[in-house]
Amino acid sequence: MQKGYLGVDIGSISTKGVIIDENNKIIAEKYLWTEGDPINAVKNVVNSLKEQVKDKNIKVRAVGTTGSARKLIGTILNAQVIKNEITAHAIGTLSIYPDVRTIFEIGGQDSKIILIEDGIVVDYAMNTLCAAGTGSFLSSQAKRLGLQVEQFGEFALQSKNPTKIAARCTVFAESDLVHKAQIGHKKEDIIAGLCKAVVTNYLNNVGKGKKIKSPIVFQGGVSKNIGVIKAFEDETGEKIYVDKYAHLMGALGVAMLAKNSGKEQNFDFDIAEMHFETRGVECAKCANNCEIICIYKNDHLVDAWGNKCDNGAVV
Ligand code: SF4
């Protein structure tokens, strides 16, 4: 019987899960949309992973969770390790690119930069407030142009003359995009302009003041977009590495942390039916008035999310 380790990375947009073996090799993987229901998303991910390993003589011996709903999912899965995304992403990336100095990450609703020296995280930044540099922004603009976001990259590469798009915020970007389409800019030029705008926005916000050093690894859902990869290469003048597991790096990292935790016990893929109560509170600390979702089990606060900054974190 071979040992396996489960890692789950649960964000507001997508839920990712992997099972690794003792050599950190991914032997099962699943990526799906969270669709506002993290508990159901994680059940589907775990069931899919179970199906993938059922003939492989694998016993899962430890579980790790990361991502915005990591505490909730960690409680459900009885996880040995519950870790923040920065650590999980850094560990996962270092296992594949041991020399990495900079990690760019653009996910569905947030983006991060992680700076690494000699295998240790020395600085990082996250941006959850501005949507103009994220995957959901690109998806909504793709729809506006009558395309699937998956087609974006190919289109962008056809452009000889990217349109300049004002992308400081989503509202500006959207009205500018409509205007540029109306005055006859080609679709591929607008799309290349959008990819460039996402990159400029990222570097000017999340990457502001950061010393970006190569090797640079790009990950998160948006790293699948070759238009954005090219825009990053043009802006930084450096090669941008994107791994085939770029979308699973957080899950991989936290599976490795679970493996190395030394706290092993069998995980039988039976997810306990637990009763959770959800209560919403509005953060009044700034005009955003974020709705924070608090999850309780037996009147005990298990997890909370929805705060766009740390000032609104529920302790
Ligand atoms: S969590 Fe609170 S302080 Fe932070 S952006 Fe939202 S409303 Fe403002």
Side-chain angles (χ1 to χ4, degrees):
M1 179 77 66
Q2 215 193 333
K3 286 187 189 180
Y5 302 88
L6 169 66
V8 178
D9 177 1
I10 180 139
S12 50
I13 300 283
S14 60
T15 300
K16 289 80 67 177
V18 300
I19 296 176
I20 58 168
D21 66 13
E22 287 180 278
N23 301 314
N24 304 329
K25 183 169 169 272
I26 294 178
I27 48 179
E29 59 177 283
K30 185 68 183 171
Y31 180 106
L32 50 74
W33 304 121
T34 308
E35 290 177 339
D37 186 351
I39 298 177
N40 205 34
V42 87
K43 279 183 184 165
N44 290 337
V45 162
V46 167
N47 285 337
S48 167
L49 296 174
K50 178 183 182 180
E51 200 52 34
Q52 292 175 49
V53 297
K54 74 172 193 264
D55 301 323
K56 288 192 176 154
N57 206 19
I58 298 273
K59 189 83 222 156
V60 171
R61 292 286 298 154
V63 178
T65 61
T66 187
S68 51
R70 60 185 176 271
K71 289 187 205 145
L72 171 68
I73 301 309
T75 307
I76 292 175
L77 299 178
N78 204 10
Q80 281 71 32
V81 171
I82 298 175
K83 219 38 187 196
N84 65 65
E85 297 99 305
I86 301 294
T87 310
H89 276 270
I91 299 278
T93 311
L94 280 161
S95 73
I96 298 175
Y97 300 93
D99 299 331
V100 61
R101 306 280 295 277
T102 307
I103 299 173
F104 293 158
E105 210 248 321
I106 306 185
Q109 239 171 18
D110 59 18
S111 46
K112 325 175 184 50
I113 186 167
I114 307 174
L115 304 178
I116 295 179
E117 294 287 349
D118 299 323
I120 292 167
V121 175
V122 288
D123 197 7
Y124 71 90
M126 277 179 88
N127 178 12
T128 51
L129 281 178
C130 178
T134 66
S136 51
F137 169 71
L138 275 179
S139 302
S140 59
Q141 301 317 310
K143 265 198 211 119
R144 194 177 281 274
L145 294 164
L147 293 170
Q148 295 295 322
V149 72
E150 293 78 19
Q151 300 170 283
F152 245 50
E154 293 294 344
F155 258 96
L157 293 192
Q158 291 166 22
S159 167
K160 302 259 179 309
N161 188 17
T163 299
K164 211 168 181 330
I165 306 275
R168 263 171 301 137
C169 85
T170 45
V171 182
F172 275 131
E174 274 169 18
S175 61
D176 200 29
L177 186 135
V178 171
H179 172 67
K180 295 286 163 52
Q182 277 167 350
I183 61 171
H185 283 251
K186 288 190 204 150
K187 211 179 242 189
E188 60 265 31
D189 291 340
I190 294 178
I191 292 167
L194 266 175
C195 293
K196 191 169 155 41
V198 164
V199 164
T200 317
N201 187 296
Y202 175 93
L203 293 172
N204 289 340
N205 287 293
V206 73
K208 192 175 176 187
K210 303 285 179 222
K211 264 206 152 46
I212 292 166
K213 296 180 183 168
S214 64
I216 303 170
V217 176
F218 177 28
Q219 53 207 32
V222 176
S223 66
K224 300 282 169 197
N225 185 320
I226 45 176
V228 179
I229 299 171
K230 181 172 182 305
F232 263 129
E233 290 190 333
D234 291 346
E235 273 312 299
T236 61
E238 299 286 350
K239 174 159 178 52
I240 304 290
Y241 295 91
V242 179
D243 195 79
K244 66 174 173 171
Y245 293 128
H247 55 303
L248 298 173
M249 223 47 102
L252 168 64
V254 84
M256 290 173 61
L257 287 166
K259 187 191 87 176
N260 297 333
S261 68
K263 300 181 210 157
E264 295 202 0
Q265 70 178 53
N266 285 345
F267 174 74
D268 292 322
F269 293 97
D270 292 325
I271 302 175
E273 283 298 338
M274 291 181 181
H275 181 67
F276 293 97
E277 195 195 333
T278 307
R279 294 178 210 160
V281 286
E282 202 174 83
C283 176
K285 290 184 184 160
C286 89
N288 279 331
N289 295 123
C290 297
E291 195 190 351
I292 302 177
I293 310 291
C294 300
I295 306 278
Y296 292 83
K297 186 176 158 241
N298 301 334
D299 258 351
H300 172 73
L301 180 68
V302 178
D303 204 351
W305 62 83
N307 50 308
K308 288 188 169 155
C309 79
D310 284 346
N311 290 339
V314 177
V315 181

